[in-house]
Amino acid sequence: MKTRITEMFQIQHPILLSGMSWIATPEMAAAVSEAGGLGMLATGVMSPRETREAVRRTRELTSKPFGANVTLYFPTGKANAEVLLEERVPVINCSMGKADWVVRRAKEYGGKVIATVVNEKHALGAKGWGVDALLVTGHEAAAHGGEATTMVLVPTLASATGLPIVAAGGIADGRGLAAALALGADGVAMGTRLMMTRESPIHAHCKEVSLEKGLEDTLYSTRFDGQPCRVMKAPAAIQALRRGFDPFRAIRNSREVARMLEAPWFKMAVGVAMAGAKTAYQMAFLANAFHAFRVATVDGELDREGVLPLGQNVALVRDIPGVRELLERTVAEAEETIRRLGAITGS
């Protein structure tokens, strides 16, 4: 299957790994790249030192193309982006921040940049920076999908920008891949579906619980990390939804974040305070979310404090295959779906 995305990134299948914190590790990214997709490292919860080590570890595990994401408004976002540029990562996926400087410097060594967007305004802004492609995240997605669904968002942005589109949100099988291509996408990103593979490092309990979830088993709110965010409907998530903003937990959890990012807590706290009330409010939510997401993903705890980002397409996930099996199965099903549609139209 050839699309603008497979040609641009020199990959076999038009499938990308979503950059999920604590899940999109070097081992997981390499597994996806080795299977013919594009593995994507998640750097959001890494320090610059860890980011550099993760990039180099990924290169040890695969000689195939891979990428890394960076969330620019995170405390170490800009520093991590600098590391990715210094390491000449083939594909950089930027989100939640102005990335014109990343695009400019990546082009100097032949790198590609994908901007994650959830609306037309941000898509056109990213096009103005000169990005190579857009990762378009629909409402159905785990974590930070926008208000518009994939069904409407993908064709709207494909028409508005003309850029290659990677569709994310609601895609779990070949039918979803075929649908995304029909909507104007050139590839798809899978988070929840690839999270549910044998190679995925997410805690086994989360895999077991996710297999039992259906269409109505996610929650979508700004009360988890301050941004519109979709998570698994579970006891701790329901408690977090009711609790909302909690500055006392944020102070405690901010120390954990500082240790995680290898940043001096006092310096980080002063920087957040000086950024203004709006930023401080967002960072307080983020500190609590970092803790909750880590406890769920790494420890498998979902009843007291752990909150797991999860897409609506969990309703379509009923097995835990290997990464290669999943990618090959998805592409084969998409090709069969396209043939079936061709038979319907008589072509």
Side-chain angles (χ1 to χ4, degrees):
M1 183 176 285
K2 291 186 177 181
T3 71
R4 287 191 292 177
I5 286 295
T6 62
E7 295 295 303
M8 179 181 295
F9 300 141
Q10 294 299 294
I11 55 178
Q12 181 181 359
H13 305 310
I15 300 173
L16 281 65
L17 170 67
S18 294
M20 302 167 284
S21 294
W22 296 288
I23 300 173
T25 60
E27 291 74 17
M28 185 66 185
V32 173
S33 289
E34 285 292 304
L38 185 73
M40 189 72 66
L41 280 172
T43 72
V45 296
M46 292 182 185
S47 68
R49 176 188 63 80
E50 290 172 325
T51 295
R52 195 179 304 278
E53 290 176 355
V55 170
R56 294 179 178 181
R57 175 61 177 158
T58 305
R59 283 199 165 108
E60 291 175 357
L61 295 170
T62 183
S63 60
K64 303 278 183 72
F66 71 96
N69 77 347
V70 60
T71 305
L72 293 171
Y73 94 103
F74 279 8
T76 56
K78 187 176 185 297
N80 283 345
E82 289 283 356
V83 170
L84 300 182
L85 292 164
E86 290 168 7
E87 293 292 323
R88 299 191 168 204
V89 171
V91 182
I92 300 177
N93 171 213
C94 296
S95 64
M96 297 185 180
K98 190 176 181 182
D100 53 343
W101 61 279
V102 179
V103 175
R104 184 178 65 254
R105 289 177 53 188
K107 287 184 182 298
E108 291 174 0
Y109 65 83
K112 305 296 184 183
V113 178
I114 310 174
T116 295
V117 296
V118 298
N119 58 47
E120 187 171 351
K121 176 183 176 181
H122 293 161
L124 292 173
K127 182 179 181 179
W129 304 336
V131 300
D132 299 282
L134 299 174
L135 198 160
V136 175
T137 310
H139 184 66
E140 306 93 326
H144 303 116
E147 294 294 336
T149 64
T150 299
M151 186 78 176
V152 176
L153 190 62
V154 168
T156 298
L157 299 193
S159 296
T161 68
L163 289 172
I165 300 287
V166 177
I171 299 156
D173 56 24
R175 294 171 297 177
L177 172 56
L181 296 176
L183 292 172
D186 302 274
V188 299
M190 289 183 170
T192 296
R193 176 63 273 199
L194 278 165
M195 179 189 83
M196 297 289 286
T197 56
R198 288 195 296 271
E199 292 90 338
S200 168
I202 193 171
H203 196 280
H205 180 62
C206 291
K207 292 182 183 180
E208 293 169 5
V209 174
S210 296
L211 284 175
E212 301 171 358
K213 296 298 182 180
L215 277 174
E216 299 178 1
D217 290 324
T218 64
L219 302 169
Y220 183 77
S221 175
T222 60
R223 294 168 71 86
F224 298 115
D225 70 353
Q227 300 281 347
C229 183
R230 187 176 301 283
V231 305
M232 177 189 286
K233 188 176 183 180
I238 294 170
Q239 293 169 22
L241 183 63
R242 291 170 179 165
R243 184 170 58 242
F245 182 65
D246 188 336
F248 299 106
R249 282 176 178 260
I251 293 171
R252 180 197 70 185
N253 292 330
S254 67
R255 295 184 181 276
E256 178 184 341
V257 173
R259 288 193 299 271
M260 185 187 308
L261 301 179
E262 299 178 357
W265 178 83
F266 183 75
K267 181 178 180 181
M268 190 175 73
V270 170
V272 168
M274 291 181 65
K278 183 177 179 180
T279 298
Y281 178 78
Q282 176 61 53
M283 289 297 107
F285 256 120
L286 191 62
N288 289 337
F290 267 36
H291 173 76
F293 295 166
R294 182 192 63 78
V295 168
T297 306
V298 176
D299 301 333
E301 197 286 300
L302 300 168
D303 294 330
R304 296 182 303 278
E305 295 191 6
V307 175
L308 181 69
L310 194 71
Q312 287 182 322
N313 63 357
V314 70
L316 298 170
V317 178
R318 289 296 175 261
D319 66 348
I320 303 178
V323 167
R324 184 177 296 276
E325 176 189 348
L326 175 64
L327 264 59
E328 291 178 352
R329 184 173 80 191
T330 299
V331 171
E333 186 178 15
E335 292 173 340
E336 175 57 31
T337 299
I338 292 168
R339 284 193 292 270
R340 178 172 56 82
L341 292 174
I344 291 174
T345 61
S347 60

